[in-house]
Amino acid sequence: MSKRVVITGLGVAAPNGVGLERFTQAIKNGESGIRHFEEMEKLKFSCQIAGQPEYEKEFLNNYMNPVQLRGFNSTGLEYGVIAGVDAWRDAGLTFSQNEPYWDSGIIFGAGMSSADKYREAIYRVDAGNVRRLGSSTVIQTMASGISAYLGGIIGCGNIVTTNSSACTTGTEAVLMGYERIQSGKATRMLVGSCSDSGPYVWGGFDAMRILPSQYNSNPTAGSRPMSASASGFVPGSGGGALILETLESALERNATIYAEVLGGAQNSGGQRGSGSITAPNNQAVQRCIIGALQNAGVTAEQIDTINGHLTATTKDATEITNWSTALGLTGADFPYINSVKSMIGHCLAASGSIECVASVLQLKEGFVFGNSNCEDLHPEIASVISRDRIPTKTQAIAPRIVAKASFGFGDVNACVLFKKYEVNE
Amino acid sequence: MTREEIITKLKAIATPYVLNKSLLDAYNENTDFIKDLEINSANLVDIILDVEDEFGIEVNDQAMDGMLTVNDAVAVIQKELSK
């Protein structure tokens, strides 16, 4: 029989809140983490607003030692380490002093690693100064940098790897960790993802003209998922992390159980039909949602709230239609739905994990957070589901089951089902 | 530059790479960077770069391979300085 998997720890470094307590308050209050970046203006970006976690550099001393911080130049690794270590500590776990934790592993995703460090290296190499790179370039720029840093800090002895599937990355990591535990190959998994801040990461999206350009003087209004006036996603950055473990292990050590992972699904649209490298095949999105429900043993009617991908592009209406078709629910029968991106923008590879953390917090604390900036609901969305399914203010409703989905470039999809943990089950 | 001056400068160069600072109390010319100061072997490359900056010399790969102790480093530095 496969193992039941529960969540016993959370960690987050988000543009509107670093640390679990701060982030919980922020999403409850609808606080925006989007601000104007002078650097983007100077570099002539069309979109000059973005989301970046904020803290003093000294804060990192709580997570890394001075040798690790020497020559360190990677925002993504910072966010990943903060979130990962926070989640581990939140679960009441300690770092291994000697022998590795053979039954604890890490799947921590990233879209790329350390753009700033790589830039630094490129300048030195091009100047004929390769020997001046020092020892810190490879460990920061290797794709698996984040899982390697976390693996060393904690002392994990099970699988330690990095997954990458664009904006699906974080949700994929949760599902991969879940499957690893469920199959009996690990007892505990630190899963999550992180994404760098800065112009070298965000520039490519600006060039694709999929970022909003008309909110540079009004940053907090810029990220507008599901709004009629949505004109692109606001780029973000950060990290999110969850500790997954067997129910057995969680009960044995009397850990706080945030929620249970019921199951999920992942697929790809093969870049066929409506799918391309940058657009989802709608049939695949619907199959992924239906597959997730089947895998989790949940009916559409049992879903209390959905945490969508919902980036604030023209694709939002298509996403709502896909959910509605897959669930067979419309109008007032449709579950509540919200998007963390309305407050923090699209944190790219980190989006899935930060949003999974937000989804789980809703179950644990009993609320459905409100959507910012969608007072002017997109008419196509309004024609499919009732206005009140898209709360603009946080609702004091205790959801029991939340569905979370992420979709990414490459036409890849992931959907996971979380359930409030109830002791008598 | 005297031998003692070089040994003192090497201590200052090595210090940022030593996590357990109490290990520096026993620092002397026979100290082994990896064994005695518990410096990560990958960081020796960084120490060499700092040595190059401090003394205005260039340490080639062969010389670097032999720089395991303070004595080794002093010999390499003195040789390069005398060129």
Side-chain angles (χ1 to χ4, degrees):
Chain A
M1 199 181 130
S2 60
K3 307 270 187 193
R4 286 176 71 181
V5 179
V6 294
I7 298 161
T8 56
L10 299 173
V12 63
N16 67 347
V18 177
L20 204 52
E21 210 170 308
R22 187 67 204 82
F23 180 67
T24 307
Q25 279 311 113
I27 59 170
K28 271 187 182 171
N29 300 337
E31 292 172 38
S32 175
I34 305 303
R35 59 187 173 89
H36 178 262
F37 279 71
E38 262 177 51
E39 193 183 13
M40 294 166 86
E41 183 176 349
K42 200 183 80 195
L43 294 172
K44 299 180 212 162
F45 273 56
S46 295
C47 170
Q48 299 162 6
I49 60 174
Q52 172 170 12
E54 289 181 323
Y55 47 83
E56 302 292 326
K57 278 287 166 196
E58 290 72 42
F59 179 63
L60 293 174
N61 294 327
N62 298 319
Y63 300 90
M64 290 192 276
N65 67 45
V67 175
Q68 286 167 323
L69 288 169
R70 217 178 148 77
F72 193 78
N73 187 12
S74 171
T75 50
L77 289 178
E78 289 180 11
Y79 310 147
V81 166
I82 291 170
V85 168
D86 274 2
W88 193 260
R89 289 172 175 157
D90 183 51
L93 300 165
T94 55
F95 301 153
S96 157
Q97 292 306 307
N98 198 358
E99 188 163 359
Y101 294 135
W102 303 115
D103 297 322
S104 295
I106 299 174
I107 298 179
F108 214 99
M112 59 191 298
S113 187
S114 316
D116 291 338
K117 187 72 183 178
Y118 207 64
R119 176 178 185 266
E120 194 185 294
I122 286 167
Y123 271 93
R124 289 216 170 106
V125 171
D126 282 352
N129 259 334
V130 64
R131 65 189 303 281
R132 300 293 308 180
L133 289 180
S135 72
S136 59
T137 301
V138 175
I139 55 174
Q140 289 176 51
T141 61
M142 62 186 189
S144 60
I146 185 55
S147 53
Y149 269 83
L150 286 168
I153 292 169
I154 296 167
C156 286
N158 206 278
I159 188 173
V160 173
T161 190
T162 290
N163 66 302
S164 190
S165 53
C167 305
T168 310
T169 300
T171 305
E172 174 176 83
V174 173
L175 284 172
M176 291 172 81
Y178 163 74
E179 285 163 7
R180 180 126 186 129
I181 296 174
Q182 205 192 28
S183 65
K185 290 178 182 164
T187 302
R188 187 177 298 118
M189 293 292 297
L190 164 56
V191 298
S193 61
C194 57
S195 194
D196 278 334
S197 307
Y200 309 111
V201 180
W202 299 329
F205 297 99
D206 199 65
M208 291 175 83
R209 306 191 186 199
I210 51 176
L211 311 185
S213 57
Q214 62 275 57
Y215 295 95
N216 292 339
S217 55
N218 189 12
T220 60
S223 188
R224 315 183 61 77
M226 296 181 281
S227 152
S229 47
S231 59
F233 74 79
V234 175
S237 53
L242 304 89
I243 305 298
L244 309 182
E245 66 183 290
T246 60
L247 175 61
E248 214 174 2
S249 159
L251 292 175
E252 199 175 275
R253 60 185 197 87
N254 209 16
T256 299
I257 297 177
Y258 282 90
E260 179 169 359
V261 185
L262 291 181
Q266 279 184 260
N267 72 358
S268 169
Q271 300 175 38
R272 299 293 185 270
S274 60
S276 70
I277 196 163
T278 53
N281 175 338
N282 296 320
Q283 192 193 356
V285 169
Q286 292 169 23
R287 285 177 67 103
C288 184
I289 295 167
I290 293 166
L293 292 180
Q294 285 170 347
N295 180 257
V298 165
T299 63
E301 291 76 14
Q302 286 179 296
I303 296 175
D304 298 302
T305 188
I306 295 168
N307 186 255
H309 188 60
L310 300 169
T311 61
T313 64
T314 51
K315 291 276 187 286
D316 287 357
T318 311
E319 180 180 336
I320 297 290
T321 302
N322 283 330
W323 279 107
S324 175
T325 307
L327 299 180
L329 299 171
T330 56
D333 295 329
F334 194 82
Y336 286 106
I337 188 162
N338 55 19
S339 170
V340 188
K341 295 182 183 78
S342 66
M343 294 175 269
I344 63 175
H346 188 350
C347 297
L348 305 168
S351 64
S353 59
I354 294 174
E355 293 167 16
C356 280
V357 168
S359 301
V360 170
L361 283 170
Q362 294 184 119
L363 294 173
K364 182 68 167 58
E365 309 251 327
F367 67 97
V368 173
F369 69 80
N371 295 282
S372 303
N373 302 323
C374 72
E375 291 75 13
D376 58 335
L377 188 63
H378 196 288
E380 269 182 57
I381 295 175
S383 71
V384 179
I385 63 175
S386 300
R387 164 83 256 194
D388 72 340
R389 301 288 89 190
I390 307 164
T392 52
K393 291 273 180 292
T394 293
Q395 308 289 304
I397 300 160
R400 284 184 69 245
I401 294 183
V402 53
K404 166 69 202 152
S406 296
F407 313 118
F409 280 5
D411 197 5
V412 291
N413 312 306
C415 181
V416 59
L417 276 295
F418 300 116
K419 182 172 174 290
K420 186 177 177 65
Y421 179 73
E422 279 143 0
V423 180
N424 53 1
E425 288 181 279
Chain B
M1 199 176 306
T2 69
R3 182 179 170 80
E4 278 62 41
E5 281 171 339
I6 295 175
I7 291 173
T8 304
K9 283 188 173 184
L10 276 172
K11 185 178 182 182
I13 288 170
T15 298
Y17 302 97
V18 180
L19 272 184
N20 181 356
K21 301 290 184 208
S22 67
L23 295 173
L24 288 161
D25 294 345
Y27 176 89
N28 62 57
E29 59 186 357
N30 295 314
T31 296
D32 184 297
F33 293 110
I34 295 173
K35 286 182 195 151
D36 299 325
L37 299 181
E38 296 178 1
I39 290 172
N40 183 328
S41 59
N43 285 137
L44 285 186
V45 169
D46 304 305
I47 291 179
I48 301 288
L49 292 178
D50 295 346
V51 163
E52 291 185 343
D53 291 342
E54 178 64 34
F55 296 97
I57 58 174
E58 194 165 300
V59 180
N60 65 33
D61 292 354
Q62 275 163 315
M64 180 189 146
D65 288 342
M67 277 178 61
L68 296 176
T69 67
V70 173
N71 265 334
D72 298 336
V74 170
V76 170
I77 292 164
Q78 282 182 326
K79 189 177 164 200
E80 287 299 323
L81 285 176
S82 67
K83 277 184 183 172

